[in-house]
């Protein structure tokens, strides 16, 4: 894109001073100043394009010409409507960008009907921060503002949204009764009079006619514009009327947008690209979101099928499930950007860890893989019966974000919009992969995605069974915590030991005595003042838990015992201001405040402003921090590292002097992961966002469930189907989770191929009461160690057979009964019911499981 230099942001300061002095000003002047924050984009004219040549045709798809094909796929396009179709050669399935029978939809009306014919949609702000929308059918194709260019394996489509036609801004907001009746109405015929009397209302007290903006839309606006033109109303008249009534209306430029979409066949997949260089918008109308192929593969109201969404471990929304009262599905990939959004209320929502979505039908399925722009992507899905008769899923992308600045004086409060300084600096690419009936399931799509990740370096190589002779037992040990103490009435911070290194060795020894093996320890709260440690660019092991010598001894102990030792570090969330400058090192929000994160008060289900907060580290600082961290950790000889937040969250920095949007921040985080892997060795990480998968050797707190949104029908282990055999994983620590029944936990670990996980400390449980660590009340190891050993023994006996082997299928056999099958044919069937069941020649007792097939 060609961006003009942004205007100096002096208006906000001016507006602020005016407010403080009680001065009245117009909304248009405020809007003009805030609009200056977005870089101007020069909107070009629509490229001339070319007439496409038909390479082939398909009698089943009349009106479309074939433009590219290979052994796997055929790509066709309709030049009149810009819609495309993809034919999957092996199955014969046709996947359309827009529903074939959309004109017969009995539910959709108005703009909702137009959207069924659209391939892209833009939501945008005006300079006052209000949101509007244009789509490629209503605002481009219908006006023949579309052109085409042939590509070697596809086609490039250029859209122009909007035109230079007159708008509501060409009509007076207020006009005197005398001028309106004598200079306008008197010169019109009956039709013209009717048009204006619908669009204007008389105010008899004031002696004026006021414009009714709600009435001035569509055909009515066109008629009103024509009526004023027929009456000889000029630009000078408009200026005169506005001046007479003290109206300052900033005339914006034309609402012209340009968008380019490229469709290309790439082997067995369709690649859809929206290049950043092909997105253009006026300065006054920054694009907020871009939606792509909203109805690709959409299922009708009489079709069978399901939508796959990346909610947590994965979830299915069945076509036509009748849940019309519930909101549509919408989730940010990799969770919210903490610089932009922070929920004030508590939420049990799982994050979307993988940038994928899909549609599954009995005859075939597709998987959408968000290949570029995933850091700013949102997956959206909905069912038929609400706005139209179709079940659909699609991605959208944030281009320019908005926040609000509130200015306040003693008697006035004003909220003004603040826009992202520059648009997202990324192309937006979605890859659509297709399968026939034999692979048309969430298991089949997971296999497809796993293969894609392996081919593109997105997963570590499979580990052999010899390398994973036993399943891991994950253990998080809490070292020290910092609490507020008082001496002679003077407050000070004191670091108290929860588990010293010597006590940690004792706990591990007891576990080994109970036959727990392959222990992987995340040791948290070991440096720079405990759990809420300072920035790790300089590391000092806390003396209260044993200091540097104690840590070296602990490392030697774990190495000799064959235990993995991973000192836990938080990089992205800075939990102490000591040695950290929020003004220069924290990410800035759009309002230019340092981004700050307060922990959740679980009792009140809201942010606890009285607890210790953490700052969001600017991605500009990540490289320097990780370099210093690795340097300081090397002498400690740990042999690995645990990353608390780098695989869990992704944040931007909106500081205009060194802005990094979320896609740029992702590049920074990837480089940091690579650096840590190269120099620190093994990495155990919390979370499991897709970009972290190539670098980690183990995952804790991986998604083991979905958010169970009301619209969803089934929770599925899509995440596990993708990563099993490549990365060992576990969910939340059992003793700090919502599980109330250990039996249910064991069954889940077996069904999902996961490892047991506990989080402990040595001190009595009451020491964390009335501290910032209240949530660790159930972490004293003594009450859990026997149960942990029992769980490990049982789960290991089953899951050990499947280590290093990909999970091939997962399926529901009946209510509460699930089968998981691994490469080679080995399987396990789990019964969650409180009564025995008979399935596939097996009798499963209540709350039990059975294994079968080939097990190594």
């Amino acid at each position: 894109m060609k961006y003009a230099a942004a205007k100096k942001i002096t208006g906000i300061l001016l507006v602020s001073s005016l407010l403080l002095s009680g001065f009245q000003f117009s909304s248009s002047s405020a809007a003009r100043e805030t609009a200056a924050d977005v870089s101007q984009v020069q909107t070009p004219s629509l490229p001339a394009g070319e007439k496409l040549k038909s390479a082939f045709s398909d009698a089943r798809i009349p009106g479309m010409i074939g433009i590219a094909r290979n052994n796997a796929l055929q790509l066709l396009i309709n030049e009149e409507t810009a819609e495309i179709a993809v034919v999957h050669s092996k199955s014969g399935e046709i996947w359309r960008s827009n529903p074939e029978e959309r004109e017969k939809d009995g539910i959709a009306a108005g703009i909702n009907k137009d959207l069924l014919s659209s391939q892209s949609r833009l939501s945008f702000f005006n300079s006052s921060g209000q949101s509007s929308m244009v789509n490629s059918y209503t605002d481009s194709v219908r006006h023949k503002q579309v052109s085409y260019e042939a590509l070697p394996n596809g086609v490039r489509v250029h859209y122009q949204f909007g035109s230079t036609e007159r708008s509501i801004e060409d009509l007076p907001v207020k006009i005197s009764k005398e001028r309106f009746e004598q200079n306008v109405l008197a010169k019109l015929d009956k039709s013209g009079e009717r048009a204006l009397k619908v669009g204007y209302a008389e105010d008899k007290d004031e002696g004026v006619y006021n414009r009714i903006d709600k009435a001035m839309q569509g055909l009515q606006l066109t008629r009103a514009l024509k009526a004023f033109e027929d009456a000889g109303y000029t630009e000078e008249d408009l200026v005169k009327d506005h001046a007479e009534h003290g109206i300052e209306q900033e005339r914006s430029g034309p609402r012209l947008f340009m968008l380019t979409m490229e469709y290309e066949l790439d082997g067995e997949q369709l690649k859809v690209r929206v290049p950043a260089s092909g997105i253009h918008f006026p300065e006054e109308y920054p694009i907020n979101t871009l939606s792509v192929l909203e109805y690709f593969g959409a299922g009708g109201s009489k079709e069978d099928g399901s939508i796959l969404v990346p909610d947590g471990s994965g979830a299915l929304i069945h076509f036509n499930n009748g849940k019309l009262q519930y909101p549509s599905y919408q989730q940010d990939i990799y969770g919210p950007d903490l610089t932009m959004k922070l929920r004030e209320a508590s939420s049990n929502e799982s994050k979307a860890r993988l940038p994928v979505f899909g549609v599954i039908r009995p005859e075939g399925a597709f998987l959408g893989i968000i290949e570029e722009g995933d850091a700013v992507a949102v997956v959206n899905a909905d069912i038929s019966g609400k706005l139209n008769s179709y079940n659909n899923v699609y991605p959208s992308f944030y281009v320019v974000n908005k926040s609000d600045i509130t200015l306040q004086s003693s008697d006035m409060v004003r909220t003004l919009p603040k826009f992202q300084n520059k648009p997202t600096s990324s192309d937006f690419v979605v890859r659509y992969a297709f399968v026939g009936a034999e692979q048309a399931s969430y298991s089949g799509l997971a296999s497809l995605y796993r293969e894609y990740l392996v081919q593109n370096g997105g997963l570590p190589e499979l580990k052999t069974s010899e390398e994973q002779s036993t399943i891991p037992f994950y253990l998080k040990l809490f070292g020290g915590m910092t609490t507020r103490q008082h001496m002679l009435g003077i407050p000070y911070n004191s670091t108290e030991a929860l588990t010293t290194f010597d006590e940690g060795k004792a706990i591990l020894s007891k576990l080994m005595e109970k036959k727990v093996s392959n222990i992987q320890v995340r040791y948290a709260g070991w440096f720079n003042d405990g759990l809420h440690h300072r920035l790790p660019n300089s590391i000092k092991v806390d003396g209260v838990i044993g200091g540097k010598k104690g840590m070296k001894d602990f490392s030697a102990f774990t190495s000799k015992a064959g235990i993995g030792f991973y000192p836990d570090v938080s990089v992205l969330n800075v939990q102490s201001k000591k040695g950290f400058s929020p003004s220069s090192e924290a990410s800035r929000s759009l309002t230019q405040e340092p981004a700050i994160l307060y922990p959740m008060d679980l009792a009140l289900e809201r942010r606890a402003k009285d607890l210790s907060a953490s700052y969001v580290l600017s991605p500009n600082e990540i490289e320097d921090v990780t370099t210093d961290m690795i340097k300081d950790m090397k002498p400690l000889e740990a042999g690995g590292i645990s990353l608390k937040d780098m695989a869990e969250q992704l944040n931007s920095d909106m500081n205009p002097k060194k802005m990094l949007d979320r896609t740029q921040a992702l590049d920074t985080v990837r480089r940091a992961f690579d650096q840590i892997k190269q120099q620190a060795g093994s990495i155990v990480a919390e979370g499991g966002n897709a970009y972290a998968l190539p670098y980690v050797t183990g995952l804790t707190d991986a998604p083991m469930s979905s958010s169970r949104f009301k619209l969803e029908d089934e929770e599925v282990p899509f995440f596990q189907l993708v990563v099993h055999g490549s990365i060992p994983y576990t969910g939340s620590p059992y003793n700090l989770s919502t599980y109330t029944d250990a039996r249910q936990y064991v069954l889940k670990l077996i069904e999902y191929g996961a490892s047991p996980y506990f989080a402990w400390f040595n001190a009595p449980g009451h020491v964390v009461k009335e501290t910032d660590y209240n949530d660790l009340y159930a972490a004293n190891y003594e009450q859990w160690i026997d149960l942990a050993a029992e769980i490990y023994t049982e789960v290991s006996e089953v899951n050990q057979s499947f280590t290093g082997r990909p999970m091939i299928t997962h399926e529901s056999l009946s209510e509460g009964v699930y089968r998981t099958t691994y490469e080679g044919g080995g399987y396990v069937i789990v019964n969650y019911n409180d009564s025995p069941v008979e399935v596939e020649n097996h009798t499963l007792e209540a709350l039990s499981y059975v294994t079968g097939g080939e097990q190594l």
Side-chain angles (χ1 to χ4, degrees), residues 37-54:
D37 296 346
V38 179
S39 299
Q40 184 179 12
V41 179
Q42 303 295 332
T43 305
S45 58
L46 182 71
E50 61 189 77
K51 183 71 175 175
L52 299 175
K53 296 178 181 177
S54 177

Side-chain angles (χ1 to χ4, degrees), residues 616-629:
V616 176
L617 181 71
S618 168
N620 290 286
E621 305 293 328
I622 291 175
E623 185 175 355
D624 288 344
V625 169
T626 53
T627 298
D628 292 340
M629 175 183 74

Side-chain angles (χ1 to χ4, degrees), residues 382-534:
D382 211 348
I383 57 167
S384 67
K386 294 181 179 180
L387 303 177
N388 54 58
S389 301
Y390 293 94
N391 307 271
N392 67 316
V393 61
Y394 64 95
S396 56
F397 303 89
Y398 293 108
V399 180
V400 173
N401 287 282
K402 178 187 81 81
S403 188
D404 293 311
I405 299 175
T406 300
L407 303 176
Q408 186 171 0
S409 69
S410 57
D411 59 347
M412 290 184 67
V413 176
R414 191 74 183 222
T415 300
L416 302 175
K418 181 70 170 68
F419 300 111
Q420 185 173 317
N421 190 252
K422 291 184 291 186
T424 298
S425 59
S426 172
D427 290 356
F428 304 116
V429 179
V430 185
R431 183 179 291 271
Y432 293 84
F434 307 92
V435 295
E438 72 285 349
Q439 259 190 291
S441 65
Y442 58 88
S443 298
L445 294 185
S447 178
L448 201 65
Y449 186 48
R450 182 173 64 243
E451 184 179 330
Y452 166 84
L453 290 177
V454 169
Q455 289 176 351
N456 292 277
L459 276 177
E461 292 183 4
L462 286 172
K463 295 187 176 182
T464 65
S465 297
E466 290 73 25
E467 291 177 297
Q468 300 186 64
S469 56
T470 55
I471 69 165
F473 176 89
Y474 286 100
L475 176 63
K476 187 174 187 178
L477 288 177
F478 298 105
M481 65 174 181
T482 300
T483 58
R484 199 73 163 162
Q485 303 291 340
H486 293 80
M487 177 177 287
L488 301 177
I490 300 173
Y492 67 97
N493 288 332
S494 172
T495 302
E496 297 183 34
L498 293 173
T499 310
T500 67
F501 288 120
D502 284 342
E503 289 166 346
K505 286 191 284 186
I507 291 171
L508 294 175
S509 296
K510 290 177 182 177
L511 273 174
M512 290 187 289
E513 289 171 8
K514 296 179 183 296
K515 309 301 181 186
V516 176
S517 57
N518 198 1
I519 302 170
Q520 306 294 310
V521 179
R522 297 179 60 205
Y523 212 117
W526 58 276
F527 74 106
N528 291 11
D529 301 334
L531 290 172
H532 287 176
H533 61 73
R534 302 193 307 274

Side-chain angles (χ1 to χ4, degrees), residues 46-95:
L46 182 71
E50 61 189 77
K51 183 71 175 175
L52 299 175
K53 296 178 181 177
S54 177
F56 60 93
S57 61
D58 190 318
R60 297 174 300 168
I61 318 174
M64 290 200 180
I65 61 171
I67 51 174
R69 61 181 169 183
N70 56 32
N71 292 333
L73 301 174
Q74 297 177 5
L75 176 62
L76 302 94
I77 193 167
N78 185 320
E79 288 183 276
E80 293 297 316
T81 63
E83 63 187 296
I84 66 159
V86 178
V87 180
H88 183 240
S89 300
K90 187 175 180 182
S91 67
E93 278 294 289
I94 300 172
W95 297 94

Side-chain angles (χ1 to χ4, degrees), residues 45-240:
S45 58
L46 182 71
E50 61 189 77
K51 183 71 175 175
L52 299 175
K53 296 178 181 177
S54 177
F56 60 93
S57 61
D58 190 318
R60 297 174 300 168
I61 318 174
M64 290 200 180
I65 61 171
I67 51 174
R69 61 181 169 183
N70 56 32
N71 292 333
L73 301 174
Q74 297 177 5
L75 176 62
L76 302 94
I77 193 167
N78 185 320
E79 288 183 276
E80 293 297 316
T81 63
E83 63 187 296
I84 66 159
V86 178
V87 180
H88 183 240
S89 300
K90 187 175 180 182
S91 67
E93 278 294 289
I94 300 172
W95 297 94
R96 298 174 181 268
S97 60
N98 305 92
E100 182 181 13
E101 299 185 342
R102 56 190 180 275
E103 293 303 325
K104 300 177 183 178
D105 193 324
I107 298 176
I111 192 64
N112 291 321
K113 193 146 194 171
D114 282 4
L115 284 171
L116 293 174
S117 298
S118 172
Q119 295 85 46
S120 59
R121 178 162 55 123
L122 305 174
S123 70
F124 62 91
F125 299 118
N126 64 19
S127 53
S128 299
Q130 298 165 318
S131 182
S132 298
M133 180 194 76
V134 289
N135 70 78
S136 65
Y137 175 73
T138 309
D139 305 282
S140 182
V141 171
R142 180 181 277 173
H143 300 291
K144 300 189 183 303
Q145 295 174 169
V146 60
S147 64
Y148 304 94
E149 289 180 59
L151 296 175
N153 296 299
V155 63
R156 179 180 292 125
V157 185
H158 301 285
Y159 298 98
Q160 177 179 299
F161 301 80
S163 69
T164 56
E165 295 176 0
R166 292 178 302 156
S167 70
I168 195 172
E169 293 177 349
D170 293 287
L171 301 179
V173 174
K174 188 176 289 191
I175 183 171
S176 70
K177 174 180 171 67
E178 180 183 1
R179 280 177 54 77
F180 188 65
E181 293 178 351
Q182 295 180 12
N183 293 17
V184 181
L185 291 182
K187 299 179 180 180
L188 298 175
D189 58 17
K190 297 283 187 185
S191 175
E193 282 187 39
R194 278 197 305 271
L196 293 191
K197 285 183 176 178
V198 169
Y200 281 84
E202 183 182 0
D203 184 334
K204 293 183 179 180
D205 293 335
E206 200 174 333
V208 298
Y209 278 82
N210 294 311
R211 191 177 74 197
I212 308 171
D213 287 1
K214 286 185 178 179
M216 291 292 196
Q217 297 182 23
L219 184 59
Q220 183 56 44
L221 174 60
T222 303
R223 287 171 176 166
L225 287 165
K226 186 177 186 306
F228 271 100
E229 183 181 352
D230 291 345
Y233 192 83
T234 65
E235 180 76 22
E236 290 74 21
D237 290 323
L238 182 67
V239 172
K240 181 179 178 179

Side-chain angles (χ1 to χ4, degrees), residues 332-350:
D332 293 353
I333 298 297
Y334 308 140
D337 181 344
L338 297 182
T339 304
M340 295 289 179
K341 307 178 186 177
L342 180 60
R343 283 191 180 87
E344 288 300 319
S346 178
S347 171
N348 293 322
E349 181 177 325
S350 298

